[in-house]
RNA sequence: GCGGGCGUGAUGAAAUUGGUAAACAUGCUGGCUUUAGGUGCCAGUGCUCGAAAGAGCUUGGGGGUUCGAGUCCCUCCGCCCGCACCA
């Protein structure tokens, strides 16, 4: 025996698949298009090519590839493409450090990723490969930008934005975590800058509503997005400052507490603030407070348990429900980004307002009775956030606060002082970056015409070569004078190009559509091709993209549908969020020195072992810790399967008649069909690959136990052959090279062209079954009985058992429970 | 604080509708093969008592429903993830 040689086997099949372009599929209307087959779009999130792929990538593509293979063998025409999210900061930061242009380093990484994906044997349609940093791709990223611009969905405005001093760029809200840059961990600061935004807030409602259109998404991902969008219902109520004649609308979720408002607060960034205090005694104090707030980081401002600070404005507003004048303050616990940047403060029923009122000695008033009868009406139980009857609220007294809520809003609306309102936490998506390595924003600034979009026929706006990649507070593109200086496409006069580039999340928000028609030079995609393949039937990736990428891509699909170039509202019908692979219980990182290099394991054990191990570690959605012993265990199993094949291959076998087979041959055959059944069900039940593989292991174990006896007869040999080929067939989605090799040796055909096996119901059922006998729910014996034995027969057998009678002696059986095929339970007293 | 997830042997984990807890794998122990080591094959391995037969106990803790609970209900504890001065 020559032993399991994964290297030789894997090289052989990878060559076959590459030469024959096995995994390529054609679009409708193209030669080779399979009209009869239902389509299935299986997609893993595209990798950011940096250095070498890591085990996280291996897991994503091992899981996705298993699904792709499974679907193909169920008769689907599976499209399974691959590409690279190749614009981005790491390559650029590397360029700043080493001087090597980002393009060179990126293309080297792509090369390495491509090679390893091939070595892993992933069944990719390479004819559709793309990279987002190529002009052929970002030309269409720019094209999409222009369409959004035309539809008012891309706009430029000056706004306070989050600036990362280290990466020297602004960031989207989603890319700031706890006041720090999501990428490098540096504290962000606020700056006021003119920036490009996408109007994702217009889509807040649809992004929420269309969760209903999704088939299978993990509940927690939906929840995270729902929280992020942060819809809250309430009312907008207008308070007026008579002294200066300005209206201050506020958003509140508690209009029922309006009578309890005892003061009013503006955010430090509130635009009308200057005007309010100019020339008043409060001016200096307010200016100072605002300046101090501006200096503080977002993280410090949001710190937990922070003392409430603020300054009185010396002005007041009128509460529209009772005409009362209440004092105005500026305080940093009110955020300009949320609501209207102003609040009515109800210290009796809001904790934050309560804390502020305590510090500033402001009145605290109860307007809703508490639930505790002892303190329902006095000030002991304040602040009280719950429900109850209204009090101190004029004509609403005695009503439940929920009813009063509706009536107060209706009344305000009549008076023109308020209306129902819905507020979102979601902000518009800030897409400009003051960095080099991204798609240039395709607009031109003309003194005469203003912002002028670059015409479609002048795309792509190519990224110019520059000498210095280091950002100087503005994009390195600004230094490319020749490139910046252009002429206005509208009037022909000298004009300047936009020097910011687009957030890389823009690139990855539509790549899955480009795959469908990747070489199209006249359009981003052919509409028929997109309509045919979309939506993605199964999307696979890490949960770290739950909000950013997945929400942006959902927004893009809707926006593109509105633009009229796409036919789906939701790009990803089913999402599978895989768990992380850890080492020694910790996230892998270079600084920790606990990384696992897939290449090393592929070299030592082969890709089949590495892939199968990853799928065997546990349910793929769960985090799992890498263990070298586990890899060896899986390698041992694949070797066992291989040796079984080598052993039976040369033996002569008889034709098998499943109906006539008896004895061990039948036992093994039945086991094979059990494995088919189990594997098929578990595969579909949430991709429980670990138990699929365990079932194949059981089959191989049984074959080993029975084979020596079976080899005596040609029928027995046939049974072992069948078990071996079945094991190869079932393990194929995880170990495609080994599966294909064994199948070819035993059956002479190509495994991936064979339909997924179906279990023979005849062989799944057995004549006799083992039943458990319990007395008072405790296991006492097991009995063999005919599968169709009647209840009386089962009870007789159970009572006859010696092990059972011991527990029945001197007792009275008060109840007999019989579950056919499972158990008998005798209840005694 | 709000939302979501999880808690089962020495370890990774199984357990379709409530019906044999611990499949499969790792690790460990023993046997066979081998000059030896490794590999390979076979067997054993939840805990306690017991020489054994056997008995009792066991799914984070406590309680409940049921003939029967890892699974359903209540309650408490612990860990992980997301959001968080969001009006």
């Amino acid at each position: 025996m020559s032993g399991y040689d994964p290297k030789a086997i894997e090289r052989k099949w990878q060559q076959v698949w590459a030469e024959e372009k096995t995994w390529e599929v054609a679009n409708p209307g193209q030669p080779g298009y399979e009209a009869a087959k239902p389509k299935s779009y299986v997609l893993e999130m595209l990798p950011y090519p940096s250095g070498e792929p890591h085990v996280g990538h291996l897991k994503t593509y091992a899981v996705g590839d298993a699904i792709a293979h499974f679907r193909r063998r169920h008769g689907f025409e599976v499209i399974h493409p691959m590409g690279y999210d190749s614009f981005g900061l790491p390559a650029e930061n590397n360029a700043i450090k080493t001087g090597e242009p980002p393009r060179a380093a990126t293309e080297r990484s792509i090369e390495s990723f491509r090679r390893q994906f091939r070595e892993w044997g992933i069944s990719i349609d390479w004819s559709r490969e793309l990279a987002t940093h190529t002009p052929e791709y970002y030309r269409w990223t720019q094209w999409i930008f222009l369409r959004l611009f035309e539809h008012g969905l891309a706009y430029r405005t000056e706004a306070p934005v989050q600036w990362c001093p280290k990466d020297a760029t602004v960031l989207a809200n989603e890319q700031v975590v706890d006041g720090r840059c999501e990428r490098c961990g540096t504290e962000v600061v606020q700056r006021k800058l003119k920036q490009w935004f996408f109007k994702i807030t217009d889509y807040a409602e649809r992004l929420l509503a269309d969760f209903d259109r999704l088939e299978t998404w993990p509940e927690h991902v939906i929840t995270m997005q729902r929280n992020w969008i942060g819809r809250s219902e309430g009312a907008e109520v207008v308070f007026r400052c008579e002294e200066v004649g300005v209206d201050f609308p506020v958003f509140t979720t508690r209009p029922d507490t309006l009578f309890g408002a005892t003061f009013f607060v503006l955010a430090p960034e509130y635009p009308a603030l200057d005007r309010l205090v100019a020339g008043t005694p409060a001016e200096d104090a307010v200016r100072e407070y605002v300046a101090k707030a501006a200096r503080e980081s977002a993280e410090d401002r949001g710190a937990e348990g922070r003392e409430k600070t603020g300054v009185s404005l010396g002005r007041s507003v009128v509460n529209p429900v009772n005409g009362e004048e209440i004092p105005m303050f500026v305080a940093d616990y009110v955020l300009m980004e949320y609501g209207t940047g102003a609040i009515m403060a109800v210290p009796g029923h809001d904790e934050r307002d309560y804390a502020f009122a305590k510090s500033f000695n402001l009145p605290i008033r109860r307007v809703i009775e508490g639930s505790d009868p002892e303190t329902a009406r006095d000030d002991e139980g304040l602040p009280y956030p719950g429900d109850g009857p209204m009090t101190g609220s004029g004509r609403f007294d005695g009503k439940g606060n929920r009813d009063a809520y509706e009536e107060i809003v209706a009344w305000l609306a009549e008076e023109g002082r308020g209306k129902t309102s819905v507020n979102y936490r979601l902000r518009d998506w800030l897409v400009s970056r003051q960095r080099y390595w991204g798609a240039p924003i395709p607009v031109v600034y003309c003194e005469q015409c203003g912002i002028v979009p670059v015409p479609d026929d002048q795309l792509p706006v190519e990224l110019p070569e520059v000498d210095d990649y280091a950002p100087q507070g503005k994009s390195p593109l600004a230094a490319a004078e020749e490139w910046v200086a252009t002429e206005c496409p509208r009037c022909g006069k000298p004009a300047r190009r936009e020097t910011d580039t687009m957030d890389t999340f823009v690139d990855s928000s539509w790549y899955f559509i480009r795959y469908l028609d990747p070489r199209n030079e006249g359009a981003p995609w052919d509409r028929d091709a997109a309509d045919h393949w979309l939506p993605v039937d199964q999307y696979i990736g890490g949960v770290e993209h739950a909000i950013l990428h997945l929400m942006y891509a959902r927004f893009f699909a809707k926006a593109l549908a509105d633009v009229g170039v796409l036919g789906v509202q939701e790009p990803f019908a089913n999402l599978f969020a895989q768990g992380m692979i850890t080492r020694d219980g910790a996230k892998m990182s270079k600084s920790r020195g606990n990384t696992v290099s897939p290449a090393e394991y592929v070299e030592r054990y082969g890709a089949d072992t590495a892939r199968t191990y990853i799928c065997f570690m546990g349910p793929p959605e769960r985090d799992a810790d890498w263990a070298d012993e586990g890899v060896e265990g899986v390698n041992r199993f694949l070797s066992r399967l291989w040796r079984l094949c080598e052993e039976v291959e040369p033996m002569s076998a008889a034709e098998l008649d499943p109906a006539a087979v008896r004895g061990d041959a039948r036992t093994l055959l039945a086991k094979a069909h059990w494995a088919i059944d189990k594997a098929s069900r578990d595969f579909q039940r949430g991709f429980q690959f670990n138990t699929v593989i365990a079932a194949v292991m059981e089959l191989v174990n049984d074959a080993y136990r029975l084979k020596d006896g079976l080899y005596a007869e040609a029928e027995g040999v046939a049974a072992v052959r069948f078990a071996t080929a079945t094991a190869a067939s079932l393990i194929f989605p995880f170990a495609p090279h080994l599966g294909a090799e064994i199948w070819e040796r035993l059956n002479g055909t190509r495994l991936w062209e064979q339909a997924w096996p179906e279990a023979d119901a005849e062989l799944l059922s057995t004549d006799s079954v083992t039943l458990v006998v319990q007395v008072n729910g405790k296991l006492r014996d097991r009995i063999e009985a005919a599968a169709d034995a009647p209840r009386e027969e089962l009870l007789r057998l159970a009572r006859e058992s010696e092990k059972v009678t011991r527990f029945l002696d001197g007792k009275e059986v008060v109840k007999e429970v019989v579950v056919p095929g499972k158990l008998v339970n005798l209840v005694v007293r």
Side-chain angles (χ1 to χ4, degrees):
Chain A
M1 264 185 230
S2 48
Y4 175 39
D5 180 3
K7 252 190 203 149
I9 296 172
E10 292 179 4
R11 200 180 308 122
K12 167 183 166 183
W13 291 104
Q14 281 160 22
Q15 215 166 351
V16 169
W17 297 331
E19 277 169 12
E20 303 187 3
K21 305 181 190 310
T22 311
W23 315 119
E24 290 187 13
V25 293
N27 283 354
Q30 290 177 340
Y33 169 62
E34 304 243 18
K37 288 186 180 179
K39 70 95 186 180
S40 186
Y41 190 173
V42 177
L43 181 68
E44 303 92 18
M45 291 180 184
L46 91 172
Y48 175 76
S50 171
E52 303 253 312
H54 51 74
V55 271
H57 290 116
L58 181 56
K59 180 165 180 176
T60 307
Y61 300 109
V63 167
D65 204 39
I67 296 168
H69 278 308
F70 190 77
R71 297 244 166 117
R72 280 191 198 101
R73 294 182 57 200
H74 277 85
F76 288 92
E77 180 77 338
V78 170
I79 184 168
H80 189 216
M82 176 63 75
Y84 311 95
D85 188 15
S86 40
F87 268 140
L89 276 185
E92 188 174 349
N93 287 341
N94 178 65
I96 294 164
K97 228 187 308 171
T98 65
E100 184 186 25
R103 184 182 317 273
T106 298
E107 287 178 355
R108 196 151 20 92
S109 289
I110 288 178
E111 193 55 48
S112 153
F113 271 62
R114 185 188 292 127
R115 195 185 64 247
Q116 293 204 40
F117 290 155
R118 284 188 190 271
E119 284 172 1
W120 296 349
I122 310 292
S123 61
I124 293 161
D125 178 349
W126 287 105
S127 73
R128 297 173 184 269
E129 189 186 27
L130 59 80
T132 60
H133 77 285
T134 57
E136 298 77 45
Y137 183 87
Y138 70 70
R139 167 185 185 172
W140 300 111
T141 306
Q142 293 171 338
W143 184 94
I144 291 169
F145 179 96
L146 294 173
R147 297 295 85 75
L148 296 182
F149 180 77
E150 283 165 12
H151 283 76
L153 296 173
Y155 64 95
R156 187 167 186 258
T157 193
E158 181 164 73
V161 295
Q162 321 255 27
W163 171 271
C164 171
K166 177 138 182 276
D167 285 341
T169 183
V170 298
L171 300 167
N173 258 29
E174 289 77 7
Q175 290 156 21
V176 178
V177 178
D178 293 334
R180 289 168 182 279
C181 170
E182 177 231 11
R183 267 194 26 76
C184 68
T186 308
E187 262 189 28
V188 301
V189 294
Q190 288 233 337
R191 281 200 180 179
K192 222 169 177 189
L193 290 168
K194 275 204 164 177
Q195 297 292 321
W196 283 95
F197 291 85
F198 285 163
K199 228 168 177 351
I200 191 171
T201 52
D202 273 10
Y203 290 78
E205 207 55 56
R206 280 163 66 184
L207 286 167
L208 286 171
D210 286 357
F211 286 133
D212 291 346
R213 293 181 188 239
L214 304 174
E215 287 170 39
T216 314
W217 271 46
E219 203 48 53
H220 66 279
V221 173
I222 293 179
T223 305
M224 280 163 71
Q225 286 200 13
R226 193 168 269 139
N227 288 345
W228 187 265
I229 295 167
R231 180 183 201 273
S232 68
E233 284 185 18
E236 197 173 288
V237 182
V238 180
F239 286 68
R240 187 170 176 80
C241 176
E242 300 290 357
E243 296 149 286
V244 290
V246 177
D247 279 343
F248 290 94
V250 300
F251 173 76
T252 176
T253 53
R254 296 296 304 275
D256 51 323
T257 63
L258 259 163
F259 286 88
T262 56
F263 58 102
F264 194 89
V265 189
L266 301 178
E269 298 81 12
Y270 203 90
L273 205 49
D274 267 352
R275 202 150 56 104
L276 268 176
V277 295
T280 73
E283 182 170 6
D284 290 348
V286 170
R287 286 252 160 86
E288 197 183 312
Y289 185 78
V290 169
K292 197 178 115 241
R295 278 197 305 273
E296 268 189 292
S297 72
E299 193 186 24
D300 288 344
R301 257 183 84 167
E304 203 173 334
R306 193 167 182 261
E307 280 284 309
K308 293 271 179 294
T309 60
V311 174
S312 168
L313 300 184
R315 301 275 191 195
S316 58
V317 287
V318 177
N319 185 340
V321 294
N322 55 12
E324 205 175 335
E325 291 216 357
I326 55 177
M328 296 180 85
F329 291 83
V330 56
D332 67 3
Y333 81 95
V334 174
L335 310 173
M336 193 59 223
E337 310 91 79
Y338 189 77
T340 62
I343 62 158
M344 64 168 200
V346 184
H349 301 277
D350 180 283
E351 244 174 79
R352 298 150 302 174
D353 298 344
Y354 182 85
F356 190 87
K358 278 283 172 194
S359 314
F360 287 78
N361 248 324
L362 295 158
I364 298 166
R365 194 181 297 162
R366 179 185 278 282
V367 290
I368 293 173
E369 290 179 21
S371 51
D372 180 354
E374 298 268 307
T375 62
R377 314 198 62 146
D378 55 34
D379 290 348
E380 283 303 300
L382 295 179
Y384 172 68
D387 293 327
M390 306 283 290
T391 181
S393 299
R395 61 189 174 96
F396 299 97
D397 281 3
K399 289 194 167 134
N401 68 307
R402 303 259 175 156
D403 296 332
Y405 178 115
E406 303 291 340
E407 290 182 34
I408 290 173
V409 174
W411 174 45
L412 284 168
E414 262 171 53
E415 303 279 311
R417 304 305 292 168
K419 59 179 185 209
T420 57
S421 166
V422 175
N423 201 50
Y424 301 92
R425 207 184 76 108
L426 182 70
R427 307 263 59 90
D428 273 342
W429 175 12
L430 199 176
V431 294
S432 27
R433 296 289 178 273
Q434 291 70 46
R435 296 298 302 245
Y436 173 75
W437 194 231
I441 293 174
V443 301
V444 160
Y445 300 101
C446 168
E447 287 209 2
Q448 207 154 14
C449 313
I451 296 174
V452 181
V454 174
D456 288 359
D457 59 13
Q458 290 176 28
L459 297 182
V461 175
E462 284 213 41
L463 200 53
E465 299 296 331
V466 299
D467 300 325
D468 184 6
Y469 301 100
Q472 318 286 349
K474 51 186 178 175
S475 165
L477 291 183
E481 261 309 320
E482 279 179 36
W483 178 85
V484 173
T486 183
E487 57 187 40
C488 173
R490 201 167 288 163
C491 68
K493 295 226 173 79
R496 298 182 67 77
R497 291 192 186 280
E498 166 67 65
T499 58
D500 283 356
T501 52
M502 279 186 254
D503 182 3
T504 54
F505 279 103
V506 178
D507 308 326
S508 55
S509 291
W510 72 281
Y511 75 102
F512 50 90
I513 319 175
R514 183 66 179 173
Y515 279 145
L516 307 177
D517 193 15
R519 309 289 168 249
N520 195 327
E521 291 179 7
W525 56 80
D526 173 66
R527 179 66 191 269
D528 288 341
D531 285 349
H532 172 69
W533 292 112
L534 289 174
V536 172
D537 295 281
Q538 185 63 58
Y539 201 31
I540 300 119
V543 74
E544 63 273 17
H545 295 106
I547 295 176
L548 290 160
H549 164 61
L550 289 169
M551 199 175 64
Y552 292 150
R554 293 182 63 218
F555 158 62
F556 254 49
K558 293 174 203 306
L560 291 167
D562 288 354
V563 165
V565 293
L566 201 66
V568 293
Q569 295 287 330
E570 282 296 332
F572 315 123
N574 298 284
L575 173 70
F576 185 83
Q578 92 211 27
M580 222 181 11
I581 296 183
T582 58
R583 177 92 182 233
D584 308 320
K587 196 170 168 174
M588 291 184 200
S589 72
K590 280 189 194 128
S591 56
R592 239 186 235 104
N594 63 342
T595 53
V596 172
S597 154
E600 193 183 300
Y601 286 87
V602 169
E603 168 68 22
R604 188 160 358 143
Y605 300 101
D608 283 341
T609 292
R611 294 175 56 170
T612 308
Y613 169 62
I614 277 184
C615 293
F616 185 63
M617 290 171 89
E621 70 275 14
R622 219 184 289 179
D623 289 351
D625 206 57
W626 186 273
D628 285 349
E629 303 80 39
V631 184
E632 277 172 33
V634 166
N635 188 248
R636 205 170 300 162
F637 157 66
L638 293 181
S639 305
R640 252 161 96 77
L641 174 56
W642 171 257
R643 287 195 305 272
L644 195 58
C645 168
E646 284 206 312
E647 195 172 274
V648 289
E649 193 198 334
M651 295 179 151
S652 50
E655 278 286 309
L656 264 188
D657 178 3
V661 181
R662 289 291 172 267
D664 282 353
R666 188 188 166 91
T667 305
L668 186 56
L669 223 52
K671 185 71 180 185
H673 283 273
W674 168 86
I676 291 169
D677 184 58
K678 168 94 178 144
S680 309
R681 275 182 298 121
D682 287 357
F683 210 111
Q684 284 165 102
R685 196 158 54 102
F687 309 127
Q688 272 194 42
F689 299 150
N690 53 330
T691 56
V692 171
I693 294 164
V696 184
M697 286 172 168
E698 281 196 55
L699 172 59
V700 172
N701 287 346
D702 276 16
Y704 265 79
R705 271 191 283 271
L706 298 172
K707 69 187 170 71
D708 290 339
L710 288 169
Y711 287 155
E713 287 186 52
E715 190 184 58
V717 172
V720 177
R721 265 185 102 96
F722 180 79
T724 308
T726 299
S729 178
L730 298 178
I731 207 69
F732 173 78
F734 316 101
H737 313 88
L738 180 64
E741 179 67 22
I742 292 177
W743 187 270
E744 188 189 53
R745 282 168 181 249
L746 297 181
N747 292 323
T749 54
R750 306 191 135 172
L751 180 49
W752 62 88
E753 291 168 0
Q754 312 304 311
W756 188 257
E758 264 186 66
D760 181 341
E762 198 64 31
L763 282 158
L764 283 180
S765 65
T766 42
D767 301 338
S768 82
V769 289
T770 306
L771 284 96
V772 167
V773 183
Q774 297 178 335
V775 178
N776 283 353
K778 284 202 171 129
L779 174 70
R780 294 305 176 191
D781 198 10
R782 292 161 214 272
I783 53 171
E784 282 289 317
D788 55 356
R791 179 187 163 91
E792 289 69 30
E793 170 73 0
L794 296 176
L795 281 171
R796 189 181 60 76
L797 286 168
R799 282 167 177 277
E800 272 174 7
S801 155
E802 256 179 64
K803 289 175 181 167
V804 172
T805 48
R806 271 197 300 185
F807 292 91
L808 300 181
D809 277 351
K811 307 265 176 64
E812 183 198 351
V813 176
V814 294
K815 186 163 185 175
E816 295 160 330
V817 181
V818 179
V819 183
K822 297 267 184 187
L823 59 70
V824 174
N825 186 14
L826 303 171
V827 184
V828 300
R829 205 162 36 200

